[in-house]
């Protein structure tokens, strides 16, 4: 039934899925935040939303635990929304799984810095092992939830269109990538627009790569693992990053660099998708 939808109806459905994603994020974060706030106010007289709490590195464990709960509830809402309303088929793995590992290689642009910082942290600083474990668990859950939302639901929904050209495959990846980048506007409540804008560009570029991988391999497992790896390395490099409030204003040169990376990734996508074998693409997404 979904494959017979017109482009306009698919567009409406895509927007509705994105709205569901936003509502799921806000509802779970508000619920977990309020319950935790009540607990801390009652037991320790601490407000978890105050700067004195979020800027204290000793509270990293608590923040990670709360975010694990929030992301788990977020995934549950996404799963229920898909089962009840959207009915988008999520592709777990196909015979082209190995090819997906090749298409994920451009992520090296983003991983190099994280790997160096993570190794530096592990070598030169003492980090609580429990915090590392929690950070890794959180990274996996974020990978599962966000990949289910954007590659699974949004991109998967767009690919149910029954008259897909190579340009349509290309456009679908761009759309879900920019949706993924736009999601990071929710961070405006804890950092400057300057920092948030660079995150949007960064996330859009990564989302495009993940879109290429999902389209070419038909496996969401690869994008989940890659997503978890990026976040896991970032949290190991700086375990307090998840709750830092950044008031920093970035130099204009940062925008130029990030824009250059985004254009490079779009060019990579164009070469990978527009020159692809359409018959093989259709076989995966028929």
């Amino acid at each position: 039934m979904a494959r017979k939808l017109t482009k306009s109806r698919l567009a409406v459905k895509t927007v509705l899925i994105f709205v569901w994603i936003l509502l799921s994020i806000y509802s779970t974060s508000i619920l977990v935040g309020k319950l935790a706030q009540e607990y801390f106010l009652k037991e320790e007289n601490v407000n978890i939303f105050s700067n004195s709490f979020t800027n204290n590195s000793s509270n990293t464990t608590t923040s990670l635990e709360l975010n694990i709960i929030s992301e788990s509830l977020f995934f549950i809402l996404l799963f229920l929304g898909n089962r009840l309303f959207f009915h988008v088929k999520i592709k777990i793995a196909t015979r082209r799984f190995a090819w997906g590992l090749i298409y994920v290689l451009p992520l090296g642009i983003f991983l190099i810095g994280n790997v160096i910082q993570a190794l530096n942290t592990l070598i030169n600083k003492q980090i609580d092992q429990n915090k590392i474990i929690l950070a890794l668990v959180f990274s996996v859950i974020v990978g599962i939830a966000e990949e289910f939302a954007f590659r699974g639901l949004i991109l998967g929904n767009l690919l149910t269109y029954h008259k897909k050209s190579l340009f349509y495959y290309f456009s679908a990846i761009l759309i879900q990538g920019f949706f993924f980048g736009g999601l990071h506007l929710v961070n405006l409540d804890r950092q400057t627009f300057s920092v948030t804008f660079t995150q949007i560009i960064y996330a859009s570029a990564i989302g495009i790569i993940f879109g290429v991988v999902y389209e070419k391999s038909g496996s969401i497992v690869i994008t989940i693992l890659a997503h978890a790896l990026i976040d896991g390395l970032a949290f190991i490099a700086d375990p307090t990053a998840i709750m830092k409030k950044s008031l920093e204003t970035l130099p204009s040169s940062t925008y130029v660099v990030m824009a250059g990376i985004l254009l490079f990734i779009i060019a990579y996508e164009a070469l990978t998708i527009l020159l692809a074998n359409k018959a093989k693409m259709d076989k995966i997404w028929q």
Side-chain angles (χ1 to χ4, degrees):
M1 187 69 170
R3 291 174 182 169
K4 296 180 180 179
L5 291 178
T6 63
K7 285 184 179 180
S8 59
R9 290 190 176 186
L10 272 178
V12 171
K13 186 178 177 182
T14 300
V15 172
L16 290 176
I17 291 174
F18 186 64
V19 170
W20 181 264
I21 291 170
L22 291 177
L23 290 175
S24 299
I25 288 177
Y26 277 111
S27 59
T28 53
S29 61
I30 290 173
L31 174 62
V32 172
K34 286 189 176 297
L35 291 175
Q37 184 183 32
E38 288 297 320
Y39 169 78
F40 283 110
L41 284 172
K42 180 178 179 181
E43 300 294 333
E44 301 180 15
N45 195 31
V46 173
N47 182 351
I48 66 169
F49 297 122
S50 68
N51 289 336
S52 61
F53 180 85
T54 55
N55 291 335
N56 188 342
S57 61
S58 64
N59 294 317
T60 305
T61 299
T62 300
S63 181
L64 283 169
E65 291 171 344
L66 294 176
N67 278 278
I68 286 173
I69 296 172
S70 181
E71 284 292 327
S72 298
L73 293 175
F74 172 48
F75 172 71
I76 291 173
L77 286 179
L78 291 175
F79 182 81
L80 290 175
N82 190 41
R83 289 297 297 270
L84 295 173
F85 309 119
F86 307 122
H87 310 293
V88 178
K89 183 178 179 181
I90 310 298
K91 291 186 177 292
I92 306 300
T94 66
R95 294 180 180 178
R96 294 180 62 82
F97 183 91
W99 281 103
L101 298 177
I102 296 176
Y103 294 116
V104 84
L105 289 179
L107 282 178
I109 297 174
F110 305 96
L111 284 175
I112 293 176
N114 287 349
V115 170
I116 294 174
Q117 291 179 27
L119 288 175
N120 181 62
T121 300
L122 291 173
I123 293 173
N124 299 317
K125 298 180 181 179
Q126 288 187 336
I127 303 179
D128 186 345
Q129 188 174 5
N130 290 331
K131 290 181 180 179
I132 294 180
I133 293 174
L134 284 173
L136 293 178
V137 170
F138 177 63
S139 300
V140 171
I141 295 175
V142 169
I144 293 173
E146 293 189 356
E147 291 309 306
F148 186 90
F150 290 92
R151 261 54 69 184
L153 294 183
I154 289 185
L155 182 55
N157 173 62
L158 290 170
L159 294 178
T160 59
Y161 185 58
H162 60 291
K163 294 182 180 180
K164 296 183 287 291
S165 63
L166 286 177
F167 184 75
Y168 184 89
Y169 281 113
F170 172 80
S171 301
I173 291 176
L174 283 184
I175 291 169
Q176 62 82 37
F178 290 130
F179 266 122
F180 182 56
L183 177 72
H184 292 73
L185 282 169
V186 300
N187 293 331
L188 278 172
D189 66 334
R190 63 188 182 91
Q191 60 194 23
T192 62
F193 179 79
S194 173
V195 174
T196 302
F197 185 69
T198 58
Q199 283 186 345
I200 291 172
I201 299 176
Y202 177 89
S204 296
I206 290 179
I208 290 171
I209 295 176
F210 287 158
V212 170
V213 174
Y214 190 49
E215 271 196 2
K216 295 288 287 185
S217 69
S219 173
I220 202 171
V221 174
I222 302 175
T223 64
I224 288 173
L225 293 176
H227 197 141
L229 178 61
I230 290 176
D231 288 350
L233 289 172
F235 292 140
I236 291 174
D238 184 4
T240 66
I242 188 176
M243 58 183 190
K244 277 185 176 177
K245 295 192 175 184
S246 177
L247 299 178
E248 180 183 9
T249 299
L250 299 176
S252 57
S253 58
T254 303
Y255 303 136
V256 175
V257 172
M258 294 305 297
I261 292 176
L262 178 59
L263 291 175
F264 172 78
I265 296 303
I266 292 175
Y268 157 75
E269 182 211 350
L271 290 173
T272 305
I273 301 300
L274 296 180
L275 299 180
N277 185 320
K278 184 177 179 297
K280 291 182 178 179
M281 298 279 288
D282 290 339
K283 187 175 181 181
I284 296 174
W285 296 102
Q286 60 187 358

